[in-house]
Structure formats: C-alpha cells, structure tokens
C-alpha cells in the first residue's frame, strides 16, 4: 500500500492572475458610440455642473397614437399606416370618446413616457377628427380629416424601407399667418423622426409633403427614386434624374380650433370657414325635401286647375252602352 501524504506536504497554490495580466474593462456604449469610462464620467460631470444642459441636443420625441371606440375600418387602417410610418410612436388601446377624454389621454401619455399625442376620434361611423396635442402643457389642434385613402386601397407603385427617416417639406403658405406657423412647428415635432433612434435607419429614402390648398393641409408620402449602375453606384449627374414615386397614404386636414392647453384650454384660433359635416348633411336633406315639396305643389296646382276648368259633357259618351 502507498504511504499516506503528510499534512506538511501541501500542493503548490495556483498562481492568481495579476491585475496587469487581466483583460481591460470594456468601454460603455452610448447613443453616440463607444466611450471610455473616464470620458463618460467627464460628460456626466459637465452635465451636472452645467445645470443639466447637455452639450449635444438629443431629440427624445415620442408620440402616442390611439383612437376612439366604434371607429370605422378605413380610418383604423389609416391610423395603422401612420403607425408604420412613425417608428418613434407608441400605439395604445382605444379610448372612450367622452368629455373627460382629455384627462384620460394626458394620463396615458404620461404613463407611456411620451411628449405628443395623435388621437383619432370617429363620430357617427362617418366623421373622423384628429387631435394633435403636445402634452401636458399644450398647445393642441383639432382637425377634420377628409379625402382619406389608405395604402391598401390606393395600390401605388412606390415603396420605401420601414423605419427610414423622412424628409419633411412644407409649402410657402405656412409662413403667411401665425396659426400656420404654429401648425408647421407642431407637424415638424410630431412627424420628424429623432436622430439615432433605436428603431430608425440612418438614411432618408422618402419625403412627407405638407401643402396648403383652399385653407386645408394636404398630406402626401413619396419615395425618393435615384438611378443606379450595376455596381450600385450613382452615375455622374444621377441626382438630376431623381424622381418621386407616391407611396401613400393620402388625407386632408381641415383645422377647426387651436387650443392653448392639452385637449382643451383657451381658444387661440378658430377657423371662420369651417362647416361641420352635420350642417352639410342637413342642407342636403333640405334640398331633397325641396324637390319633393315642389312635386306636391305641382300636383295640387294641377288638381285646382282641373277643378276650376271642368270639361264639357260629351253627348256621345252613353251611346255605346247597352
């Protein structure tokens, strides 16, 4: 049998790696790229000493998109199309369209950590209203949406990658009045995709066009098409041949009121040319009722004429009777 090992005979301890031999610490990752730990700490100290003012502006805009109950299927598809076009938005459940919807939506925006809201409100299964609000301080705008055409029903040939950043263009009419300037700024903040957002692509391949015609805002979405060579390079003068192909959707916004607060507050602007859809339908019914009343009056005039001018009795009327 082998001899037992004595207690004083101990195995050599495994040498622990020194700190110098260990791998260096991995730098932290930020929105602007990889940074060393010391640089990150310096940036944090600069932000704290500078009263929280960051040296680089970061757009942290988030938009909550929701709708009211009993919404029409075409309007629901329009809302989903906008959700697909805005990678920085958050979709939520339907909200009951009541007088207290403003307080409910403000709570939802705060819970979702958003700064803006797009609320599609459908009434009588016919009329669609769009609330665009900056929460919680305001302002907010109420639009009447008309001429709605979704991507599915248009079947246009344009196409662009989902999540890509759009280029926003506005017509020169947005600079003529104060309320159009306010609407332009709100559209910029809501529809502009933040840079370095985690769901966006770092390039532009489509354009959002906002134009004012007859005091209405018309929305169009176009794909930027540029010719390429076989080697996937732009030929000389290729940018001059750049074309726009419409993708969709299409819709028209008629501004009704601009409020100072979020979903309410003092009225900053009211459209004097706005006519509600209920009034338009009432006028159409009156026109149809006018046609029917004209027919009734014509019949009564004919009867009165026949009674005032009776025919002479025919002497041969009873000749052939047996």
């Amino acid at each position: 049998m082998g001899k037992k090992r004595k207690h004083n005979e101990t195995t050599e301890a495994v040498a622990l790696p020194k700190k110098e031999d260990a791998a260096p610490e991995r730098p932290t990752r930020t929105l602007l790229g990889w940074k060393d730990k010391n640089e990150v700490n310096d940036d944090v100290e600069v932000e704290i000493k500078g009263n929280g003012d960051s040296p680089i502006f970061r757009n942290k805009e988030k938009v909550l998109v929701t709708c009211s109950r009993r919404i029409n299927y075409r309007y629901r598809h329009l809302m989903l199309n906008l959700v697909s076009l805005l990678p920085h938005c958050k979709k939520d459940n339907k909200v009951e369209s009541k007088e207290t919807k403003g307080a409910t939506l403000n709570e939802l925006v705060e819970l979702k950590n958003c700064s803006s809201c797009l609320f599609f409100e459908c009434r009588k299964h016919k009329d669609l209203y769009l609330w665009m609000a900056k929460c919680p301080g305001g302002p907010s705008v109420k639009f009447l949406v008309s001429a709605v055409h979704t991507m599915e029903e248009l079947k246009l040939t344009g196409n662009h990658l989902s999540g890509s950043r759009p280029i926003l263009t506005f017509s020169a009419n947005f600079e003529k009045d104060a309320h159009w300037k306010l609407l332009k700024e709100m559209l910029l903040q809501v529809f502009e995709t933040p840079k370095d957002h985690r769901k966006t692509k770092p390039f532009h391949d489509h354009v959002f066009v906002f134009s004012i015609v007859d005091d209405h805002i018309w929305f169009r979405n176009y794909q930027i098409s540029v010719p390429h060579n076989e080697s996937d390079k732009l030929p000389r003068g290729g940018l001059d041949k750049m074309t726009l192909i419409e993708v969709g959707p299409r819709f028209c916004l008629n501004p009704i009121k601009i409020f100072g607060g979020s979903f309410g507050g003092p009225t900053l602007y009211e459209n004097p040319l706005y006519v509600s859809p209920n009034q338009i339908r009432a006028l159409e019914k009156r026109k149809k009722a006018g046609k029917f009343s004209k027919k009734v009056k014509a019949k009564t005039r004919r009867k009165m004429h026949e009674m005032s001018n009776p025919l002479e009795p025919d002497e041969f009327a009873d000749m052939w009777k047996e």
Side-chain angles (χ1 to χ4, degrees), residues 74-279:
R74 293 184 68 248
Y75 300 151
R76 186 176 68 251
H77 289 175
L78 174 65
M79 182 189 70
L80 295 178
N81 290 340
L82 285 181
V83 170
S84 64
L85 292 177
L86 303 177
H88 61 287
C89 74
K90 294 184 179 181
K91 185 175 175 294
D92 199 76
N93 297 329
K94 297 178 180 179
V95 179
E96 191 67 36
S97 179
K98 293 183 178 180
E99 295 180 356
T100 58
K101 64 177 178 294
T104 305
L105 289 170
N106 286 328
E107 291 180 2
L108 286 176
V109 169
E110 186 178 358
L111 289 173
K112 292 289 184 177
N113 195 18
C114 297
S115 56
S116 303
C117 181
L118 290 176
F119 177 60
F120 292 85
E121 184 179 4
C122 184
R123 294 182 181 177
K124 296 185 178 180
H125 299 276
K126 299 177 183 178
D127 308 328
L128 179 65
Y129 297 91
L130 173 62
W131 285 86
M132 185 185 301
K134 298 292 294 181
C135 301
S140 57
V141 192
K142 185 179 181 181
F143 297 100
L144 174 66
V145 186
S146 59
V148 175
H149 299 281
T150 60
M151 289 183 182
E152 291 78 9
E153 64 186 15
L154 282 177
K155 296 182 180 178
L156 297 170
T157 57
N159 188 17
H160 60 80
L161 293 178
S162 63
S164 58
R165 300 182 64 198
I167 299 175
L168 273 66
T169 61
F170 296 86
S171 61
N173 303 340
F174 279 94
E175 301 296 332
K176 63 179 182 179
D177 292 324
H179 63 278
W180 291 121
K181 292 181 181 179
L182 176 61
L183 291 176
K184 177 182 177 180
E185 184 63 28
M186 292 188 67
L187 291 171
L188 269 173
Q189 295 185 18
V190 171
F191 285 90
E192 186 180 12
T193 304
K195 187 180 179 181
D196 298 326
H197 193 272
R198 60 186 183 89
K199 292 185 179 180
T200 59
K201 309 294 190 303
F203 52 82
H204 303 272
D205 64 346
H206 64 290
V207 184
F208 288 165
V209 180
F210 298 92
S211 56
I212 299 176
V213 181
D214 297 334
D215 294 330
H216 291 61
I217 300 176
W218 297 80
F219 174 83
R220 295 290 185 271
N221 181 24
Y222 295 97
Q223 174 200 356
I224 302 174
S225 177
V226 182
H228 288 74
N229 288 334
E230 295 179 356
S231 60
D232 200 16
K233 292 184 179 179
L234 282 175
R236 194 173 281 183
L239 291 178
D240 298 336
K241 300 178 181 179
M242 181 176 60
T243 57
L244 297 178
I245 306 172
E246 188 172 357
V247 182
R250 297 177 181 175
F251 56 88
C252 175
L253 300 176
N254 184 12
I256 303 173
K257 282 186 179 182
I258 301 178
F259 300 97
S262 177
F263 297 101
T267 302
L268 303 180
Y269 170 77
E270 185 174 0
N271 189 2
L273 304 177
Y274 170 71
V275 181
S276 67
N278 292 330
Q279 294 179 357

Side-chain angles (χ1 to χ4, degrees), residues 10-22:
T10 56
T11 58
E12 296 181 358
V14 179
L16 295 174
K18 298 180 180 179
K19 291 185 178 180
E20 297 178 356
D21 299 336

